[in-house]
Amino acid sequence: MLQRVCEPRLVTAGRTLYGVSSFAALVATRVLYMEERRGQDPDPCYAREFDARILERGPDFVVLDQTLFYAEGGGQPDDTGTLRWEGGEARILRVTKEKGVVKHHVDRMPAAEEVHGVVDWDRRYKHMRMHTSQHLMSGLVFRSYGARTVGNQIHMDYSRVDFQPANFTPDDLKRIEDDCNRVIASSQAVRIFEEDRMVVQNKIEDRALLELIPQSVRRLRIIEIGSADYCPCGGTHLKNVSEIGTVHILEKRSKGKETDRIVYELVSG
């Protein structure tokens, strides 16, 4: 089964809306990093701490009224961190999304209703660098070779992207690497904004798997890197591609008919 390139989410006024039959679903969780990029300080993707109220408790998780923690999905791993309250602290071991509900899995249940969340920044920032570089590579490959991204998985130390249709030669890989690093050297800004679905459909051509997003979702969160990429996405991203460092392609693997996987690392930055 192919992985989704990104995970667009239904957002209204900065709130992710869920359609599930639980108490938590009656009050939308405000996903703070999903907000449009308007020069805030700190930027929504760079904010590290927040206050929240617990809406629901499970056997090993809590649902919050707002969060900065990314739930695993769309090829991006989850965030980890801590929830603190007066006299106590819990580690967030993983963050999942089940039937639309974001669950913060903890090593101990908070003893208060109001908590202060702190994101593990080193992990988050490495994922931001990798995810932004994946968008850059996917956009450039689509424009140069007409191959769309049909799967991806990022890690802190390396990532992989699956392209189709593709049969890259060593010269192609060198060109892709050089094109990525050329854009990085140009220090282009990364925009995050919402756009009407019809506008996105007219712009995106076949770059992303837009058909996987329910038709009921009419406003999409867009990640735009100059002229290099324009794609719906629910992930966390850098403010400028110069923060990526240098893309170094490690290898190409054939993943079946007309499908190539590029594995790469970021060697500086």
Side-chain angles (χ1 to χ4, degrees):
M1 181 176 180
L2 296 178
Q3 289 186 306
R4 295 171 68 173
V5 177
C6 297
E7 189 176 5
R9 305 177 184 188
L10 175 57
V11 178
T12 302
R15 297 181 179 270
T16 302
L17 306 183
Y18 305 115
V20 294
S21 56
S22 72
F23 172 75
L26 299 178
V27 181
T29 295
R30 185 182 183 191
V31 184
L32 300 172
Y33 62 78
M34 291 282 287
E35 295 180 357
E36 291 186 290
R37 180 163 280 165
R38 300 192 183 97
Q40 304 97 313
D41 186 20
D43 179 88
C45 289
Y46 288 73
R48 308 182 190 189
E49 302 186 22
F50 67 101
D51 294 313
R53 178 169 54 89
I54 295 176
L55 299 180
E56 184 176 328
R57 297 171 183 264
D60 67 342
F61 69 85
V62 293
V63 177
L64 307 176
D65 68 333
Q66 62 180 13
T67 188
L68 276 173
F69 290 95
Y70 183 83
E72 182 175 12
Q76 179 172 330
D78 56 355
D79 285 325
T80 55
T82 58
L83 291 180
R84 299 171 182 167
W85 60 95
E86 186 174 354
E89 178 177 297
R91 283 290 302 169
I92 293 182
L93 305 176
R94 60 193 179 103
V95 185
T96 62
K97 185 162 69 89
E98 299 177 20
K99 296 182 179 179
V101 176
V102 176
K103 298 180 178 181
H104 303 74
H105 298 263
V106 292
D107 64 353
R108 61 181 294 205
M109 191 58 58
E113 297 304 311
E114 306 289 334
V115 293
H116 182 74
V118 181
V119 175
D120 285 339
W121 179 246
D122 182 63
R123 176 182 173 90
R124 156 68 74 82
Y125 189 63
K126 287 178 179 178
H127 290 161
M128 287 167 60
R129 291 176 61 219
M130 280 292 186
H131 203 158
T132 305
S133 68
Q134 179 264 306
H135 271 255
L136 177 60
M137 181 178 291
S138 291
L140 292 172
V141 168
F142 180 73
R143 281 158 177 72
S144 296
Y145 298 93
R148 70 176 180 172
T149 298
V150 294
N152 72 284
Q153 182 62 54
I154 68 172
H155 303 277
M156 290 197 293
D157 53 351
Y158 75 95
S159 296
R160 57 93 169 164
V161 192
D162 296 342
F163 294 101
Q164 185 184 78
N167 185 19
F168 299 126
T169 68
D171 286 344
D172 292 330
L173 298 179
K174 180 65 165 58
R175 176 186 176 185
I176 292 167
E177 183 178 277
D178 288 347
D179 286 349
C180 288
N181 290 323
R182 189 175 300 111
V183 174
I184 291 168
S186 71
S187 300
Q188 294 189 33
V190 180
R191 295 183 62 210
I192 298 178
F193 58 96
E194 291 181 30
E195 194 123 79
D196 183 82
R197 186 189 186 106
M198 289 302 297
V199 174
V200 177
Q201 286 177 330
N202 291 333
K203 288 183 178 181
I204 206 166
E205 301 177 47
D206 204 27
R207 155 70 177 88
L209 306 176
L210 194 60
E211 65 273 12
L212 295 179
I213 306 172
Q215 286 293 325
S216 59
V217 180
R218 307 312 303 171
R219 296 284 293 177
L220 301 177
R221 180 178 185 259
I222 301 298
I223 308 301
E224 184 177 60
I225 305 173
S227 61
D229 194 35
Y230 171 100
C231 183
C233 182
T236 57
H237 292 275
L238 302 172
K239 290 188 287 187
N240 193 290
V241 293
S242 63
E243 298 176 64
I244 291 173
T246 301
V247 171
H248 175 231
I249 293 177
L250 297 171
E251 64 174 328
K252 180 205 80 170
R253 304 174 188 169
S254 175
K255 300 303 293 182
K257 185 178 180 182
E258 295 188 316
T259 304
D260 275 357
R261 171 173 294 178
I262 291 179
V263 182
Y264 70 95
E265 63 179 354
L266 303 179
V267 297
S268 64

